[in-house]
Amino acid sequence: MGGRQGRGVLRRRRGGAAVVDRERFTAYVHAELAEELPDVDLDLLDLDEGLAGFLERYESPACTDAEAEEEFLDTVRQAAERSERGY
């Protein structure tokens, strides 16, 4: 029985490491996004909320370049997908 307990501890540690790795990767994706997007677009994002949350609540400004807006949203979608996949 003692051996099983030891394995359970290792599993919990690996799970915790996976969470940390995911958080690090998400931070990396956010950093890449910050480098890629202009400051005007970055002002729209709340990275603490998460990219998926941003995409769900995003409302298009009345006066905007539709092509630039679609490019912006596509960039954010791709980053959200990468962050969700974990690679």
Side-chain angles (χ1 to χ4, degrees):
M1 271 190 145
R4 287 183 182 180
Q5 289 174 342
R7 281 184 281 193
V9 170
L10 289 177
R11 278 193 208 115
R12 277 186 245 130
R13 286 182 185 162
R14 280 191 209 131
V19 170
V20 170
D21 289 344
R22 179 173 288 286
E23 289 172 355
R24 284 184 188 156
F25 185 74
T26 297
Y28 175 76
V29 170
H30 288 176
E32 282 186 335
L33 193 59
E35 288 180 15
E36 188 173 339
L37 294 175
D39 290 343
V40 172
D41 289 342
L42 281 177
D43 291 342
L44 298 173
L45 291 174
D46 177 5
L47 295 180
D48 291 333
E49 172 191 24
L51 299 175
F54 167 78
L55 290 168
E56 287 177 11
R57 69 168 180 75
Y58 179 78
E59 293 182 19
S60 177
C63 300
T64 188
D65 176 359
E67 187 176 321
E69 180 181 26
E70 188 55 39
E71 185 177 326
F72 163 70
L73 290 173
D74 188 49
T75 300
V76 175
R77 276 187 209 105
Q78 289 176 12
E81 289 169 1
R82 282 185 63 220
S83 183
E84 185 64 29
R85 283 192 318 259
Y87 62 89

